[in-house]
Amino acid sequence: MSEVPPGQELQANRPLSKTAEWILWCSFLATVAVATAYFQAFDAMKPFDDEGGFITLLRRFLQGGAPYRDLATFYGPSYFLYEWIAHSLFPLGPPSNDSVRFVSIAFWALSSVFAFVLVRNTTRSWLLGLTAFLLVFRLAAFLGEEPAHPQELCLLMVVAAMAVGASRWPGMVRLFCLGAFAGVLTLTKINAGALLVVTLAVASVLAARPSGLIRAARLACLAAALIFVPLLMAPNLGTEWAQRFLVLAECSLAAVLITVWRADFDLKFEWR
């Protein structure tokens, strides 16, 4: 039997060690997030929340009520699907103040872990990844204060889409996941889904192989992206907060567009 050279043996074991490292980090952060979110979610309640209304809606749905016929709601079927999965397949019992908080805690923790994966993959820095985890966990505290709201699924889909887009997965797998996330988000809140679809469309054009037509399409997409924000905020632009937010959003968007203009995407599209 021939012996394996030391260098090759180390190289063969390296992917396993990296996978184990990722599993350990994500498991540790998820445990910390769930434990912390548990105490915060069961200790907070907004005076203006719709928790009772959502619980009643979910109870009627699980009792056989059909959305949009027996139940008055403007949220899409994805919302009812994941709540049905949570309350039917897991021992949570019928929708209650406790059960909907457990579901929100899961989304809260998963969104924070996905943020860690995203930043760690893009920066190769564990420190920045942990910083992103803490920031997103803190900013997503509203999920624990307003449980049962479909915004929890919306946040997870957006963060997961960014994490998958920045991953090293095969191109077709990433495209499938991004399309699935956009579809789920559209079937939860159509306005949020439309925003993600627009974002993915702009990213697809920027990732296309350069040609004369593609360069023109890139310029058109960049201009449309900058114009889209003020058009979306047009009804509120008379208020001071909307004006400040518009300046912040436009500057942030411009910085991102300038960065990706010359970015070298590892996933290329060729339009035919």
Side-chain angles (χ1 to χ4, degrees), residues 35-57:
T36 307
Y38 173 83
F39 289 103
Q40 293 191 14
F42 281 90
D43 190 43
M45 179 179 291
K46 289 287 187 181
F48 52 82
D49 78 314
D50 298 323
E51 181 179 343
F54 282 117
I55 292 174
T56 302
L57 179 67

Side-chain angles (χ1 to χ4, degrees), residues 234-257:
N236 298 314
L237 285 181
T239 60
E240 185 179 354
W241 71 265
Q243 296 168 2
R244 292 199 301 266
F245 182 80
L246 176 62
V247 173
L248 176 62
E250 288 290 273
C251 291
S252 302
L253 183 59
V256 171
L257 295 177

Side-chain angles (χ1 to χ4, degrees), residues 1-268:
M1 184 185 303
S2 60
E3 294 184 0
V4 180
Q8 292 185 9
E9 183 179 0
L10 179 62
Q11 187 175 4
N13 293 332
R14 190 173 182 181
L16 181 60
S17 63
K18 278 193 170 294
T19 301
E21 187 178 30
W22 272 107
I23 293 175
L24 288 174
W25 269 106
C26 291
S27 300
F28 170 73
L29 293 177
T31 303
V32 172
V34 169
T36 307
Y38 173 83
F39 289 103
Q40 293 191 14
F42 281 90
D43 190 43
M45 179 179 291
K46 289 287 187 181
F48 52 82
D49 78 314
D50 298 323
E51 181 179 343
F54 282 117
I55 292 174
T56 302
L57 179 67
L58 293 174
R59 283 180 177 176
R60 293 179 59 193
F61 168 70
L62 294 178
Q63 290 170 357
Y68 323 116
R69 187 189 66 190
D70 305 323
L71 308 176
T73 178
F74 45 79
Y75 295 115
S78 295
Y79 170 64
F80 296 96
L81 175 62
Y82 82 77
E83 291 287 1
W84 172 80
I85 292 174
H87 288 87
S88 299
L89 303 184
F90 297 96
L92 296 178
S96 63
N97 297 93
D98 291 344
S99 69
V100 295
R101 276 175 166 75
F102 283 119
V103 176
S104 297
I105 287 171
F107 281 100
W108 189 357
L110 284 173
S111 299
S112 304
V113 172
F114 270 118
F116 163 77
V117 173
L118 165 65
V119 176
R120 171 64 182 87
N121 269 338
T122 54
T123 65
R124 302 291 184 235
S125 170
W126 294 104
L127 179 60
L128 291 178
L130 289 172
T131 302
F133 169 81
L134 293 173
L135 287 174
V136 171
F137 184 83
R138 177 65 185 87
L139 293 172
F142 62 87
L143 297 182
E145 297 172 346
E146 303 173 31
H149 196 288
Q151 62 193 356
E152 55 198 21
L153 179 61
C154 296
L155 177 62
L156 179 62
M157 290 297 99
V158 171
V159 180
M162 292 188 291
V164 169
S167 70
R168 298 296 179 182
W169 291 358
M172 292 304 297
V173 175
R174 280 188 282 172
L175 290 177
F176 173 82
C177 291
L178 292 174
F181 294 153
V184 170
L185 188 55
T186 303
L187 291 175
T188 304
K189 291 190 69 175
I190 191 170
N191 52 348
L195 291 174
L196 182 57
V197 169
V198 170
T199 303
L200 294 178
V202 173
S204 300
V205 173
L206 292 172
R209 299 187 184 278
S211 65
L213 181 60
I214 291 299
R215 290 190 181 92
R218 283 183 175 184
L219 290 173
C221 284
L222 297 183
L226 292 172
I227 296 174
F228 180 73
V229 178
L231 288 178
L232 188 65
M233 298 180 62
N236 298 314
L237 285 181
T239 60
E240 185 179 354
W241 71 265
Q243 296 168 2
R244 292 199 301 266
F245 182 80
L246 176 62
V247 173
L248 176 62
E250 288 290 273
C251 291
S252 302
L253 183 59
V256 171
L257 295 177
I258 292 172
T259 302
V260 301
W261 176 258
R262 294 186 176 276
D264 184 18
F265 292 89
D266 63 336
L267 179 61
K268 294 289 187 182

